[in-house]
Amino acid sequence: MVPERLTRASGWALHLMILAVALWVALQIFLRLSLLTVPFAASLLLVALIRPPVAFLRRRGLAPGPAAALSALALALIVGCAIAGVAVRVAGQAPQLVDEFTRALRTLPVDQATLQDWQQRAADAAEGRGGAAAQVLSGLRTGVETLSGLALTLFFTVYLAYDGEGVWRWFVELFPPAARTGVQARGLAVWAAVSAWVRATALVALFHGVVVGATLALMHVPLFLSLAFLVFLGSFVPILGAFLFGGVAVLVTFATQGPVSALVLLGILIIDNQIEAHLLEPFLVGRFVSLHPITVVAAVTGGGLIAGLQGAVFAVPLCAAVHAGLQQPGAPPSPPPDQPPDQPPDQPPDDEGG
């Protein structure tokens, strides 16, 4: 006879294996169709970010379509101009930064043989990516995919900001009538959690960008605005992003201002990261999405290992969505056909009524 506990454990294991296979299949579909799924997921986050200006424009009498288009185009214009400005400034000062970084490396207590070994490894890594023709083709393919993804993201963002309610009603109607109330309730809870995460994360990213930008400006580090913008974008990967992308600012500071200034900036990044982990994430982000910082770190790490930068960015809002959906109670069970809903219990007869 098989013990009852082992039978229960086997049942749980079978259910978990089926769930794991389903999740693996869903992940493979997401990755195989990344040119479509990633822009759609990004557009959901962007819609949550631009809903306040869309609502503001609609209250001022603008039609839903133009309000959504103006808000999305304004966001795209701001981000595009910022990225273009960063690219132009970095391209203009890149040769000078390379020379200064090489000169700064020679000041380290490292012998010449070690430096030459580092340079040789960097050259071997560059050659290992293929020849010039392969790199050109890879660059063209990446550029085409990036432009296609940006165009799809803009289209999805405008359409969902304009008629997201209609899309959601169509999705809810795919379920049986008895389940639609529960789907509606869980969907609203999920959307509220994702919207809160996007806005709170934007505030956290702005905090990181201001702190790093002000520090670099006080140290007279070149490209301080570009580096601050890079840290701002990297901060959308919670807890780890600002620190990792801040490493680029530390390298530039080391190359231009020396190791002491680089160590000072590194210390400020550590303090900044601790402020996020112990204050901003628990009280600003965690207050709305109810995720423990350990869960956030685990989600970012796991998402990065599974799907790279895309996985690290979408892991936390996905966890927040799942958590909100599970916390939201479903629809109450429907009463039997012969029993009216909310039937009161039998009451004793009133004395006056007989």
Side-chain angles (χ1 to χ4, degrees):
M1 298 294 295
V2 179
E4 183 179 359
R5 292 182 178 180
L6 182 58
T7 303
R8 293 180 179 178
S10 302
W12 275 102
L14 179 61
H15 286 82
L16 290 176
M17 289 175 61
I18 296 174
L19 180 61
V21 171
L23 292 176
W24 182 84
V25 171
L27 178 62
Q28 294 301 313
I29 295 175
F30 182 87
L31 294 177
R32 293 293 179 89
L33 301 178
S34 60
L35 190 58
L36 180 64
T37 55
V38 171
F40 183 78
S43 66
L44 290 176
L45 303 183
L46 293 177
V47 168
L49 188 62
I50 67 173
R51 277 190 70 86
V54 171
F56 174 80
L57 293 176
R58 293 183 64 176
R59 286 195 300 268
R60 293 299 182 272
L62 201 62
L70 283 177
S71 300
L73 290 176
L75 179 63
L77 184 63
I78 293 173
V79 176
C81 290
I83 293 177
V86 169
V88 170
R89 292 180 62 86
V90 170
Q93 298 189 14
Q96 179 184 356
L97 291 176
V98 171
D99 294 339
E100 292 179 351
F101 184 72
T102 304
R103 190 181 308 110
L105 281 177
R106 294 172 182 171
T107 62
L108 294 177
V110 180
D111 55 8
Q112 189 68 22
T114 303
L115 289 177
Q116 292 178 355
D117 182 61
W118 290 353
Q119 294 177 356
Q120 185 62 37
R121 290 185 179 182
D124 293 341
E127 293 178 358
R129 297 178 180 177
Q135 292 182 4
V136 170
L137 292 177
S138 177
L140 290 176
R141 178 181 178 183
T142 303
V144 171
E145 291 181 352
T146 301
L147 292 177
S148 302
L150 292 176
L152 285 174
T153 302
L154 182 60
F155 171 77
F156 287 145
T157 302
V158 172
Y159 190 84
L160 291 177
Y162 163 66
D163 194 29
E165 291 83 0
V167 175
W168 174 247
R169 286 194 299 269
W170 170 81
F171 177 76
V172 172
E173 290 175 357
L174 296 177
F175 291 85
R180 291 174 185 174
T181 303
V183 173
Q184 179 75 14
R186 287 190 169 92
L188 293 177
V190 166
W191 180 247
V194 172
S195 300
W197 177 87
V198 170
R199 295 163 190 167
T201 303
L203 293 177
V204 173
L206 181 63
F207 170 78
H208 288 314
V210 170
V211 169
V212 173
T215 304
L216 295 175
L218 291 175
M219 292 182 178
H220 303 287
V221 177
L223 300 175
F224 68 93
L225 287 177
S226 302
L227 294 172
F229 181 71
L230 180 64
V231 172
F232 169 78
L233 292 181
S235 299
F236 281 89
V237 180
I239 296 179
L240 302 177
F243 190 75
L244 294 177
F245 284 82
V248 179
V250 173
L251 290 177
V252 175
T253 304
F254 168 73
T256 57
Q257 306 297 326
V260 177
S261 298
L263 290 175
V264 171
L265 178 60
L266 180 61
I268 292 176
L269 284 175
I270 293 175
I271 296 174
D272 180 71
N273 186 263
Q274 293 301 312
I275 292 175
E276 178 189 1
H278 294 90
L279 292 178
L280 299 180
E281 282 290 336
F283 295 103
L284 187 58
V285 180
R287 177 184 176 184
F288 296 104
V289 301
S290 301
L291 292 179
H292 194 276
I294 294 180
T295 305
V296 174
V297 174
V300 171
T301 305
L305 292 175
I306 294 174
L309 182 59
Q310 300 171 357
V313 171
F314 294 121
V316 176
L318 178 60
C319 288
V322 172
H323 182 266
L326 294 178
Q327 292 296 317
Q328 178 67 29
S334 302
D338 57 345
Q339 178 183 354
D342 300 329
Q343 182 180 8
D346 294 336
Q347 299 291 337
D350 186 61
D351 292 339
E352 296 181 359

